[in-house]
Every structure is written in structure tokens, then in C-alpha cells.
Amino acid sequence: MNSQFTLLVRIVLGTVLIVFGSNSFLHFIPLPTPTGAAADFIKLLSATKYIFPVVGILEVFIGIMLLLKKGVPFFILVLAPISINILLFYLLLDFPGVSAALIIALLNAILIYKYWKRYSPLFL
């Protein structure tokens, strides 16, 4: 769990989460406008006025916790449904952006694998 590789994955994932989570409410990185079904889906979620800020705040908080190495096994599990939803959105609705989603899901999966021994009590 404390290998250099795990440290690198944790730092990269934490940094990505902080940057893109912050971008969801500060809008400092211009993102391409989705089209078709992806645009309709984003429009509906945006109409709620809460989902993107909440997910952004969660991403920033999880990213900070990963960088500080606080509660990593817990927070990577909290991140799992978020990263799965990001991946499914790009796989099913906006395929050109799938590479970044794959990277996030892969980094999250690697950390879950590295901390798998911590989850064994959940399956007893």
C-alpha cells in the first residue's frame, strides 16, 4: 500500500480530482460543449442547480484527502460510483471524451485493488 507506485497513483488521482472538481464551480478550464443526448442529459442535470456543485465539492474534498493520505480506503470507495458514472456517461453519451474518464476509473480501480485487504471485513 505504501509503494512508490501507489503514492504516484494517489497523488495523480487527488490532483485530477481537485482540478476538475474545482472547475465544476469555478469554470477556469473551458470544456467542449456536448451535443445530442449528452447535451440533453447535462441540461437536465444542470436544471437541478445542485448536482454539479455537490459532485464538484465531493471531488475536491476526496482529492484533498487523497493528497493528505487521510482515510484513503474510505474515500476511494466514495469515489467509485462517481468515477463509474463519469465513465458510463462518456461511454454511452459522449464517446470522444472517454479517455479521461477511463484514466480516472483506472486510477480509482488501482487504488481499490491496492487497499483490497482493508475491505475484507466487509465480505465476512
Side-chain angles (χ1 to χ4, degrees):
M1 280 186 287
N2 292 321
S3 72
Q4 294 296 322
F5 177 70
T6 305
L7 174 68
L8 177 66
V9 170
R10 190 171 49 79
I11 289 172
V12 168
L13 183 58
T15 303
V16 167
L17 289 172
I18 290 170
V19 169
F20 286 99
S22 300
N23 191 56
S24 69
F25 46 89
L26 297 176
H27 309 291
F28 53 88
I29 300 172
L31 298 175
T33 306
T35 59
D40 295 339
F41 184 69
I42 294 295
K43 184 178 178 182
L44 289 171
L45 287 178
S46 296
T48 66
K49 303 273 193 256
Y50 82 91
I51 194 74
F52 289 123
V54 168
V55 171
I57 290 167
L58 269 174
E59 288 175 348
V60 170
F61 184 71
I62 292 168
I64 291 169
M65 293 293 107
L66 292 179
L67 291 180
L68 295 176
K69 197 178 178 184
K70 302 288 184 188
V72 174
F74 173 72
F75 287 111
I76 56 177
L77 282 186
V78 172
L79 179 62
I82 297 170
S83 63
I84 290 168
N85 275 290
I86 293 168
L87 180 61
L88 288 174
F89 172 81
Y90 284 105
L91 278 173
L92 302 174
L93 298 174
D94 193 14
F95 193 75
V98 77
S99 59
L102 277 170
I103 291 168
I104 292 170
L106 180 64
L107 294 174
N108 195 16
I110 289 168
L111 287 176
I112 289 172
Y113 174 76
K114 291 290 192 173
Y115 285 91
W116 190 252
K117 288 181 182 178
R118 295 280 190 95
Y119 306 127
S120 61
L122 297 173
F123 302 106
L124 294 178

mmCIF file of all heavy atoms in Angstrom, residues 50-95:
data_model
loop_
_atom_site.group_PDB
_atom_site.id
_atom_site.type_symbol
_atom_site.label_atom_id
_atom_site.label_comp_id
_atom_site.label_asym_id
_atom_site.label_seq_id
_atom_site.Cartn_x
_atom_site.Cartn_y
_atom_site.Cartn_z
ATOM 1 N N TYR A 50 -28.048 21.734 -8.253
ATOM 2 C CA TYR A 50 -27.278 21.245 -7.115
ATOM 3 C C TYR A 50 -26.297 20.134 -7.470
ATOM 4 O O TYR A 50 -25.257 20.011 -6.825
ATOM 5 C CB TYR A 50 -28.199 20.762 -5.993
ATOM 6 C CG TYR A 50 -28.724 19.356 -6.176
ATOM 7 C CD1 TYR A 50 -28.037 18.266 -5.644
ATOM 8 C CD2 TYR A 50 -29.882 19.120 -6.883
ATOM 9 C CE1 TYR A 50 -28.505 16.980 -5.826
ATOM 10 C CE2 TYR A 50 -30.360 17.845 -7.057
ATOM 11 C CZ TYR A 50 -29.676 16.773 -6.532
ATOM 12 O OH TYR A 50 -30.136 15.512 -6.715
ATOM 13 N N ILE A 51 -26.584 19.325 -8.469
ATOM 14 C CA ILE A 51 -25.789 18.108 -8.674
ATOM 15 C C ILE A 51 -24.336 18.413 -9.035
ATOM 16 O O ILE A 51 -23.423 17.812 -8.475
ATOM 17 C CB ILE A 51 -26.450 17.157 -9.702
ATOM 18 C CG1 ILE A 51 -25.802 15.766 -9.635
ATOM 19 C CG2 ILE A 51 -26.331 17.690 -11.108
ATOM 20 C CD1 ILE A 51 -26.188 14.979 -8.443
ATOM 21 N N PHE A 52 -24.086 19.351 -9.927
ATOM 22 C CA PHE A 52 -22.705 19.630 -10.323
ATOM 23 C C PHE A 52 -21.898 20.290 -9.207
ATOM 24 O O PHE A 52 -20.750 19.893 -8.983
ATOM 25 C CB PHE A 52 -22.653 20.441 -11.625
ATOM 26 C CG PHE A 52 -23.070 19.620 -12.824
ATOM 27 C CD1 PHE A 52 -24.111 20.025 -13.625
ATOM 28 C CD2 PHE A 52 -22.426 18.436 -13.128
ATOM 29 C CE1 PHE A 52 -24.499 19.271 -14.718
ATOM 30 C CE2 PHE A 52 -22.808 17.665 -14.210
ATOM 31 C CZ PHE A 52 -23.855 18.079 -15.016
ATOM 32 N N PRO A 53 -22.452 21.259 -8.479
ATOM 33 C CA PRO A 53 -21.682 21.798 -7.349
ATOM 34 C C PRO A 53 -21.406 20.747 -6.266
ATOM 35 O O PRO A 53 -20.308 20.699 -5.714
ATOM 36 C CB PRO A 53 -22.555 22.929 -6.803
ATOM 37 C CG PRO A 53 -23.411 23.337 -7.940
ATOM 38 C CD PRO A 53 -23.652 22.084 -8.737
ATOM 39 N N VAL A 54 -22.373 19.887 -5.982
ATOM 40 C CA VAL A 54 -22.178 18.864 -4.945
ATOM 41 C C VAL A 54 -21.108 17.873 -5.376
ATOM 42 O O VAL A 54 -20.203 17.536 -4.597
ATOM 43 C CB VAL A 54 -23.510 18.144 -4.619
ATOM 44 C CG1 VAL A 54 -23.283 16.907 -3.773
ATOM 45 C CG2 VAL A 54 -24.470 19.095 -3.924
ATOM 46 N N VAL A 55 -21.189 17.400 -6.606
ATOM 47 C CA VAL A 55 -20.181 16.455 -7.101
ATOM 48 C C VAL A 55 -18.811 17.131 -7.154
ATOM 49 O O VAL A 55 -17.801 16.524 -6.791
ATOM 50 C CB VAL A 55 -20.587 15.870 -8.473
ATOM 51 C CG1 VAL A 55 -19.455 15.066 -9.083
ATOM 52 C CG2 VAL A 55 -21.821 15.006 -8.334
ATOM 53 N N GLY A 56 -18.771 18.391 -7.561
ATOM 54 C CA GLY A 56 -17.509 19.132 -7.595
ATOM 55 C C GLY A 56 -16.891 19.257 -6.216
ATOM 56 O O GLY A 56 -15.687 19.041 -6.035
ATOM 57 N N ILE A 57 -17.705 19.601 -5.229
ATOM 58 C CA ILE A 57 -17.211 19.713 -3.851
ATOM 59 C C ILE A 57 -16.729 18.355 -3.343
ATOM 60 O O ILE A 57 -15.669 18.267 -2.711
ATOM 61 C CB ILE A 57 -18.296 20.307 -2.935
ATOM 62 C CG1 ILE A 57 -18.501 21.790 -3.271
ATOM 63 C CG2 ILE A 57 -17.952 20.131 -1.464
ATOM 64 C CD1 ILE A 57 -19.736 22.404 -2.659
ATOM 65 N N LEU A 58 -17.482 17.301 -3.642
ATOM 66 C CA LEU A 58 -17.048 15.950 -3.250
ATOM 67 C C LEU A 58 -15.714 15.599 -3.899
ATOM 68 O O LEU A 58 -14.823 15.047 -3.238
ATOM 69 C CB LEU A 58 -18.096 14.916 -3.660
ATOM 70 C CG LEU A 58 -19.167 14.577 -2.659
ATOM 71 C CD1 LEU A 58 -20.211 13.653 -3.285
ATOM 72 C CD2 LEU A 58 -18.587 13.957 -1.417
ATOM 73 N N GLU A 59 -15.566 15.895 -5.178
ATOM 74 C CA GLU A 59 -14.316 15.588 -5.872
ATOM 75 C C GLU A 59 -13.146 16.349 -5.256
ATOM 76 O O GLU A 59 -12.072 15.767 -5.043
ATOM 77 C CB GLU A 59 -14.427 15.916 -7.356
ATOM 78 C CG GLU A 59 -15.308 14.967 -8.128
ATOM 79 C CD GLU A 59 -15.500 15.368 -9.577
ATOM 80 O OE1 GLU A 59 -15.142 16.511 -9.952
ATOM 81 O OE2 GLU A 59 -16.014 14.541 -10.346
ATOM 82 N N VAL A 60 -13.342 17.623 -4.967
ATOM 83 C CA VAL A 60 -12.270 18.419 -4.346
ATOM 84 C C VAL A 60 -11.930 17.847 -2.970
ATOM 85 O O VAL A 60 -10.750 17.662 -2.637
ATOM 86 C CB VAL A 60 -12.669 19.909 -4.239
ATOM 87 C CG1 VAL A 60 -11.688 20.674 -3.380
ATOM 88 C CG2 VAL A 60 -12.757 20.527 -5.626
ATOM 89 N N PHE A 61 -12.936 17.547 -2.174
ATOM 90 C CA PHE A 61 -12.698 17.012 -0.829
ATOM 91 C C PHE A 61 -11.979 15.667 -0.887
ATOM 92 O O PHE A 61 -11.011 15.434 -0.153
ATOM 93 C CB PHE A 61 -14.021 16.897 -0.062
ATOM 94 C CG PHE A 61 -13.846 16.451 1.348
ATOM 95 C CD1 PHE A 61 -13.277 17.298 2.294
ATOM 96 C CD2 PHE A 61 -14.233 15.182 1.749
ATOM 97 C CE1 PHE A 61 -13.097 16.890 3.602
ATOM 98 C CE2 PHE A 61 -14.064 14.767 3.055
ATOM 99 C CZ PHE A 61 -13.497 15.619 3.984
ATOM 100 N N ILE A 62 -12.439 14.782 -1.761
ATOM 101 C CA ILE A 62 -11.790 13.473 -1.904
ATOM 102 C C ILE A 62 -10.350 13.654 -2.383
ATOM 103 O O ILE A 62 -9.430 12.989 -1.890
ATOM 104 C CB ILE A 62 -12.592 12.559 -2.855
ATOM 105 C CG1 ILE A 62 -13.934 12.180 -2.217
ATOM 106 C CG2 ILE A 62 -11.796 11.297 -3.206
ATOM 107 C CD1 ILE A 62 -14.913 11.537 -3.184
ATOM 108 N N GLY A 63 -10.144 14.554 -3.335
ATOM 109 C CA GLY A 63 -8.786 14.825 -3.834
ATOM 110 C C GLY A 63 -7.863 15.308 -2.723
ATOM 111 O O GLY A 63 -6.718 14.863 -2.610
ATOM 112 N N ILE A 64 -8.366 16.214 -1.885
ATOM 113 C CA ILE A 64 -7.565 16.709 -0.753
ATOM 114 C C ILE A 64 -7.241 15.567 0.208
ATOM 115 O O ILE A 64 -6.093 15.435 0.654
ATOM 116 C CB ILE A 64 -8.296 17.855 -0.032
ATOM 117 C CG1 ILE A 64 -8.333 19.093 -0.927
ATOM 118 C CG2 ILE A 64 -7.644 18.184 1.300
ATOM 119 C CD1 ILE A 64 -9.258 20.194 -0.435
ATOM 120 N N MET A 65 -8.216 14.747 0.501
ATOM 121 C CA MET A 65 -7.981 13.624 1.419
ATOM 122 C C MET A 65 -6.965 12.641 0.843
ATOM 123 O O MET A 65 -6.130 12.098 1.576
ATOM 124 C CB MET A 65 -9.289 12.896 1.737
ATOM 125 C CG MET A 65 -10.279 13.704 2.541
ATOM 126 S SD MET A 65 -9.697 14.046 4.209
ATOM 127 C CE MET A 65 -9.304 15.749 4.110
ATOM 128 N N LEU A 66 -7.010 12.412 -0.467
ATOM 129 C CA LEU A 66 -6.015 11.522 -1.094
ATOM 130 C C LEU A 66 -4.628 12.121 -1.004
ATOM 131 O O LEU A 66 -3.651 11.410 -0.725
ATOM 132 C CB LEU A 66 -6.380 11.242 -2.552
ATOM 133 C CG LEU A 66 -7.627 10.397 -2.806
ATOM 134 C CD1 LEU A 66 -7.870 10.238 -4.299
ATOM 135 C CD2 LEU A 66 -7.532 9.046 -2.134
ATOM 136 N N LEU A 67 -4.510 13.432 -1.238
ATOM 137 C CA LEU A 67 -3.198 14.068 -1.161
ATOM 138 C C LEU A 67 -2.667 14.084 0.273
ATOM 139 O O LEU A 67 -1.458 13.956 0.491
ATOM 140 C CB LEU A 67 -3.254 15.486 -1.718
ATOM 141 C CG LEU A 67 -3.478 15.603 -3.221
ATOM 142 C CD1 LEU A 67 -3.524 17.059 -3.643
ATOM 143 C CD2 LEU A 67 -2.410 14.861 -4.002
ATOM 144 N N LEU A 68 -3.559 14.226 1.243
ATOM 145 C CA LEU A 68 -3.141 14.235 2.648
ATOM 146 C C LEU A 68 -3.017 12.832 3.246
ATOM 147 O O LEU A 68 -2.600 12.681 4.389
ATOM 148 C CB LEU A 68 -4.135 15.050 3.480
ATOM 149 C CG LEU A 68 -4.219 16.538 3.163
ATOM 150 C CD1 LEU A 68 -5.315 17.184 3.995
ATOM 151 C CD2 LEU A 68 -2.883 17.212 3.393
ATOM 152 N N LYS A 69 -3.405 11.822 2.451
ATOM 153 C CA LYS A 69 -3.389 10.420 2.869
ATOM 154 C C LYS A 69 -4.221 10.208 4.133
ATOM 155 O O LYS A 69 -3.827 9.548 5.080
ATOM 156 C CB LYS A 69 -1.955 9.918 3.075
ATOM 157 C CG LYS A 69 -1.857 8.405 3.096
ATOM 158 C CD LYS A 69 -0.443 7.921 3.240
ATOM 159 C CE LYS A 69 -0.445 6.412 3.301
ATOM 160 N NZ LYS A 69 0.861 5.868 3.535
ATOM 161 N N LYS A 70 -5.405 10.788 4.120
ATOM 162 C CA LYS A 70 -6.346 10.660 5.229
ATOM 163 C C LYS A 70 -7.547 9.852 4.768
ATOM 164 O O LYS A 70 -8.257 10.243 3.843
ATOM 165 C CB LYS A 70 -6.828 12.040 5.705
ATOM 166 C CG LYS A 70 -5.724 12.959 6.143
ATOM 167 C CD LYS A 70 -5.148 12.519 7.453
ATOM 168 C CE LYS A 70 -4.106 13.518 7.924
ATOM 169 N NZ LYS A 70 -3.390 13.077 9.073
ATOM 170 N N GLY A 71 -7.784 8.712 5.377
ATOM 171 C CA GLY A 71 -8.956 7.910 5.063
ATOM 172 C C GLY A 71 -9.008 7.421 3.630
ATOM 173 O O GLY A 71 -10.096 7.277 3.062
ATOM 174 N N VAL A 72 -7.860 7.142 3.036
ATOM 175 C CA VAL A 72 -7.804 6.771 1.619
ATOM 176 C C VAL A 72 -8.712 5.589 1.286
ATOM 177 O O VAL A 72 -9.488 5.675 0.321
ATOM 178 C CB VAL A 72 -6.344 6.512 1.169
ATOM 179 C CG1 VAL A 72 -6.298 5.982 -0.259
ATOM 180 C CG2 VAL A 72 -5.524 7.786 1.294
ATOM 181 N N PRO A 73 -8.690 4.478 2.054
ATOM 182 C CA PRO A 73 -9.580 3.365 1.688
ATOM 183 C C PRO A 73 -11.054 3.761 1.643
ATOM 184 O O PRO A 73 -11.793 3.337 0.753
ATOM 185 C CB PRO A 73 -9.323 2.326 2.785
ATOM 186 C CG PRO A 73 -7.965 2.646 3.293
ATOM 187 C CD PRO A 73 -7.835 4.138 3.189
ATOM 188 N N PHE A 74 -11.475 4.600 2.570
ATOM 189 C CA PHE A 74 -12.870 5.056 2.581
ATOM 190 C C PHE A 74 -13.170 5.954 1.386
ATOM 191 O O PHE A 74 -14.165 5.773 0.686
ATOM 192 C CB PHE A 74 -13.178 5.796 3.892
ATOM 193 C CG PHE A 74 -14.532 6.437 3.911
ATOM 194 C CD1 PHE A 74 -15.671 5.660 4.017
ATOM 195 C CD2 PHE A 74 -14.667 7.810 3.798
ATOM 196 C CE1 PHE A 74 -16.929 6.248 4.016
ATOM 197 C CE2 PHE A 74 -15.912 8.408 3.809
ATOM 198 C CZ PHE A 74 -17.055 7.620 3.916
ATOM 199 N N PHE A 75 -12.318 6.933 1.148
ATOM 200 C CA PHE A 75 -12.615 7.921 0.113
ATOM 201 C C PHE A 75 -12.516 7.364 -1.302
ATOM 202 O O PHE A 75 -13.221 7.840 -2.194
ATOM 203 C CB PHE A 75 -11.750 9.169 0.291
ATOM 204 C CG PHE A 75 -12.201 9.989 1.460
ATOM 205 C CD1 PHE A 75 -11.417 10.091 2.593
ATOM 206 C CD2 PHE A 75 -13.436 10.616 1.452
ATOM 207 C CE1 PHE A 75 -11.848 10.823 3.688
ATOM 208 C CE2 PHE A 75 -13.882 11.342 2.541
ATOM 209 C CZ PHE A 75 -13.085 11.451 3.664
ATOM 210 N N ILE A 76 -11.691 6.343 -1.520
ATOM 211 C CA ILE A 76 -11.681 5.767 -2.868
ATOM 212 C C ILE A 76 -12.959 4.954 -3.114
ATOM 213 O O ILE A 76 -13.406 4.843 -4.251
ATOM 214 C CB ILE A 76 -10.406 4.952 -3.170
ATOM 215 C CG1 ILE A 76 -10.172 3.851 -2.166
ATOM 216 C CG2 ILE A 76 -9.212 5.860 -3.301
ATOM 217 C CD1 ILE A 76 -8.976 2.977 -2.454
ATOM 218 N N LEU A 77 -13.554 4.439 -2.033
ATOM 219 C CA LEU A 77 -14.854 3.787 -2.205
ATOM 220 C C LEU A 77 -15.953 4.807 -2.454
ATOM 221 O O LEU A 77 -16.881 4.556 -3.223
ATOM 222 C CB LEU A 77 -15.206 2.939 -0.974
ATOM 223 C CG LEU A 77 -14.508 1.601 -0.866
ATOM 224 C CD1 LEU A 77 -15.051 0.817 0.321
ATOM 225 C CD2 LEU A 77 -14.632 0.785 -2.131
ATOM 226 N N VAL A 78 -15.874 5.957 -1.806
ATOM 227 C CA VAL A 78 -16.844 7.025 -2.063
ATOM 228 C C VAL A 78 -16.709 7.507 -3.509
ATOM 229 O O VAL A 78 -17.706 7.821 -4.169
ATOM 230 C CB VAL A 78 -16.647 8.199 -1.072
ATOM 231 C CG1 VAL A 78 -17.501 9.390 -1.447
ATOM 232 C CG2 VAL A 78 -16.954 7.744 0.353
ATOM 233 N N LEU A 79 -15.498 7.538 -4.015
ATOM 234 C CA LEU A 79 -15.250 7.982 -5.382
ATOM 235 C C LEU A 79 -15.710 6.959 -6.424
ATOM 236 O O LEU A 79 -16.025 7.350 -7.555
ATOM 237 C CB LEU A 79 -13.753 8.277 -5.569
ATOM 238 C CG LEU A 79 -13.311 8.738 -6.945
ATOM 239 C CD1 LEU A 79 -13.992 10.057 -7.312
ATOM 240 C CD2 LEU A 79 -11.801 8.869 -6.986
ATOM 241 N N ALA A 80 -15.787 5.696 -6.069
ATOM 242 C CA ALA A 80 -16.102 4.649 -7.044
ATOM 243 C C ALA A 80 -17.392 4.914 -7.831
ATOM 244 O O ALA A 80 -17.371 4.869 -9.072
ATOM 245 C CB ALA A 80 -16.142 3.284 -6.368
ATOM 246 N N PRO A 81 -18.526 5.198 -7.195
ATOM 247 C CA PRO A 81 -19.732 5.451 -8.007
ATOM 248 C C PRO A 81 -19.625 6.709 -8.864
ATOM 249 O O PRO A 81 -20.197 6.770 -9.959
ATOM 250 C CB PRO A 81 -20.857 5.592 -6.984
ATOM 251 C CG PRO A 81 -20.245 5.550 -5.646
ATOM 252 C CD PRO A 81 -18.812 5.188 -5.775
ATOM 253 N N ILE A 82 -18.887 7.702 -8.392
ATOM 254 C CA ILE A 82 -18.694 8.910 -9.192
ATOM 255 C C ILE A 82 -17.887 8.579 -10.435
ATOM 256 O O ILE A 82 -18.252 8.959 -11.552
ATOM 257 C CB ILE A 82 -18.009 10.021 -8.366
ATOM 258 C CG1 ILE A 82 -18.895 10.445 -7.207
ATOM 259 C CG2 ILE A 82 -17.649 11.212 -9.249
ATOM 260 C CD1 ILE A 82 -18.215 11.359 -6.199
ATOM 261 N N SER A 83 -16.795 7.850 -10.267
ATOM 262 C CA SER A 83 -15.951 7.524 -11.431
ATOM 263 C C SER A 83 -16.672 6.571 -12.383
ATOM 264 O O SER A 83 -16.512 6.693 -13.602
ATOM 265 C CB SER A 83 -14.599 6.959 -10.992
ATOM 266 O OG SER A 83 -14.735 5.755 -10.312
ATOM 267 N N ILE A 84 -17.489 5.669 -11.862
ATOM 268 C CA ILE A 84 -18.267 4.774 -12.734
ATOM 269 C C ILE A 84 -19.277 5.582 -13.550
ATOM 270 O O ILE A 84 -19.445 5.351 -14.752
ATOM 271 C CB ILE A 84 -18.957 3.671 -11.911
ATOM 272 C CG1 ILE A 84 -17.907 2.693 -11.391
ATOM 273 C CG2 ILE A 84 -20.013 2.941 -12.738
ATOM 274 C CD1 ILE A 84 -18.422 1.724 -10.346
ATOM 275 N N ASN A 85 -19.932 6.543 -12.915
ATOM 276 C CA ASN A 85 -20.893 7.377 -13.641
ATOM 277 C C ASN A 85 -20.219 8.251 -14.688
ATOM 278 O O ASN A 85 -20.762 8.443 -15.777
ATOM 279 C CB ASN A 85 -21.712 8.231 -12.675
ATOM 280 C CG ASN A 85 -22.893 7.468 -12.159
ATOM 281 O OD1 ASN A 85 -23.823 7.211 -12.902
ATOM 282 N ND2 ASN A 85 -22.847 7.092 -10.898
ATOM 283 N N ILE A 86 -19.053 8.782 -14.366
ATOM 284 C CA ILE A 86 -18.305 9.564 -15.359
ATOM 285 C C ILE A 86 -17.961 8.676 -16.553
ATOM 286 O O ILE A 86 -18.158 9.060 -17.713
ATOM 287 C CB ILE A 86 -17.025 10.166 -14.739
ATOM 288 C CG1 ILE A 86 -17.378 11.223 -13.697
ATOM 289 C CG2 ILE A 86 -16.121 10.757 -15.819
ATOM 290 C CD1 ILE A 86 -16.194 11.664 -12.839
ATOM 291 N N LEU A 87 -17.464 7.472 -16.272
ATOM 292 C CA LEU A 87 -17.105 6.540 -17.344
ATOM 293 C C LEU A 87 -18.322 6.167 -18.186
ATOM 294 O O LEU A 87 -18.268 6.192 -19.421
ATOM 295 C CB LEU A 87 -16.447 5.291 -16.751
ATOM 296 C CG LEU A 87 -16.002 4.224 -17.740
ATOM 297 C CD1 LEU A 87 -14.953 4.791 -18.692
ATOM 298 C CD2 LEU A 87 -15.458 3.020 -16.999
ATOM 299 N N LEU A 88 -19.430 5.832 -17.547
ATOM 300 C CA LEU A 88 -20.629 5.451 -18.298
ATOM 301 C C LEU A 88 -21.173 6.609 -19.129
ATOM 302 O O LEU A 88 -21.645 6.399 -20.260
ATOM 303 C CB LEU A 88 -21.706 4.931 -17.346
ATOM 304 C CG LEU A 88 -21.420 3.557 -16.741
ATOM 305 C CD1 LEU A 88 -22.463 3.204 -15.697
ATOM 306 C CD2 LEU A 88 -21.338 2.492 -17.825
ATOM 307 N N PHE A 89 -21.113 7.824 -18.591
ATOM 308 C CA PHE A 89 -21.557 8.988 -19.365
ATOM 309 C C PHE A 89 -20.783 9.079 -20.666
ATOM 310 O O PHE A 89 -21.361 9.229 -21.743
ATOM 311 C CB PHE A 89 -21.389 10.278 -18.553
ATOM 312 C CG PHE A 89 -21.642 11.524 -19.353
ATOM 313 C CD1 PHE A 89 -22.937 11.958 -19.581
ATOM 314 C CD2 PHE A 89 -20.593 12.246 -19.900
ATOM 315 C CE1 PHE A 89 -23.187 13.098 -20.338
ATOM 316 C CE2 PHE A 89 -20.822 13.386 -20.655
ATOM 317 C CZ PHE A 89 -22.132 13.810 -20.870
ATOM 318 N N TYR A 90 -19.462 8.984 -20.582
ATOM 319 C CA TYR A 90 -18.653 9.126 -21.790
ATOM 320 C C TYR A 90 -18.742 7.906 -22.695
ATOM 321 O O TYR A 90 -18.696 8.040 -23.919
ATOM 322 C CB TYR A 90 -17.203 9.457 -21.446
ATOM 323 C CG TYR A 90 -17.065 10.896 -21.028
ATOM 324 C CD1 TYR A 90 -16.883 11.247 -19.702
ATOM 325 C CD2 TYR A 90 -17.175 11.920 -21.956
ATOM 326 C CE1 TYR A 90 -16.783 12.569 -19.313
ATOM 327 C CE2 TYR A 90 -17.082 13.245 -21.586
ATOM 328 C CZ TYR A 90 -16.889 13.567 -20.262
ATOM 329 O OH TYR A 90 -16.812 14.878 -19.889
ATOM 330 N N LEU A 91 -18.879 6.721 -22.130
ATOM 331 C CA LEU A 91 -19.022 5.529 -22.968
ATOM 332 C C LEU A 91 -20.338 5.538 -23.739
ATOM 333 O O LEU A 91 -20.386 5.166 -24.910
ATOM 334 C CB LEU A 91 -18.958 4.257 -22.109
ATOM 335 C CG LEU A 91 -17.587 3.748 -21.732
ATOM 336 C CD1 LEU A 91 -17.710 2.591 -20.747
ATOM 337 C CD2 LEU A 91 -16.796 3.331 -22.954
ATOM 338 N N LEU A 92 -21.416 5.966 -23.073
ATOM 339 C CA LEU A 92 -22.742 5.852 -23.662
ATOM 340 C C LEU A 92 -23.251 7.118 -24.341
ATOM 341 O O LEU A 92 -24.083 7.025 -25.252
ATOM 342 C CB LEU A 92 -23.746 5.413 -22.589
ATOM 343 C CG LEU A 92 -23.429 4.089 -21.899
ATOM 344 C CD1 LEU A 92 -24.402 3.830 -20.770
ATOM 345 C CD2 LEU A 92 -23.425 2.943 -22.899
ATOM 346 N N LEU A 93 -22.784 8.287 -23.919
ATOM 347 C CA LEU A 93 -23.370 9.526 -24.429
ATOM 348 C C LEU A 93 -22.398 10.452 -25.151
ATOM 349 O O LEU A 93 -22.819 11.245 -25.986
ATOM 350 C CB LEU A 93 -24.033 10.302 -23.279
ATOM 351 C CG LEU A 93 -25.180 9.591 -22.570
ATOM 352 C CD1 LEU A 93 -25.630 10.397 -21.373
ATOM 353 C CD2 LEU A 93 -26.323 9.337 -23.528
ATOM 354 N N ASP A 94 -21.124 10.408 -24.797
ATOM 355 C CA ASP A 94 -20.169 11.374 -25.365
ATOM 356 C C ASP A 94 -18.810 10.700 -25.530
ATOM 357 O O ASP A 94 -17.834 11.080 -24.901
ATOM 358 C CB ASP A 94 -20.075 12.599 -24.441
ATOM 359 C CG ASP A 94 -19.375 13.773 -25.098
ATOM 360 O OD1 ASP A 94 -19.198 13.755 -26.328
ATOM 361 O OD2 ASP A 94 -19.009 14.706 -24.368
ATOM 362 N N PHE A 95 -18.757 9.709 -26.413
ATOM 363 C CA PHE A 95 -17.587 8.846 -26.529
ATOM 364 C C PHE A 95 -16.254 9.551 -26.766
ATOM 365 O O PHE A 95 -15.233 9.088 -26.252
ATOM 366 C CB PHE A 95 -17.805 7.784 -27.615
ATOM 367 C CG PHE A 95 -16.788 6.691 -27.555
ATOM 368 C CD1 PHE A 95 -16.853 5.722 -26.572
ATOM 369 C CD2 PHE A 95 -15.747 6.652 -28.459
ATOM 370 C CE1 PHE A 95 -15.910 4.714 -26.496
ATOM 371 C CE2 PHE A 95 -14.790 5.648 -28.393
ATOM 372 C CZ PHE A 95 -14.870 4.676 -27.405
#
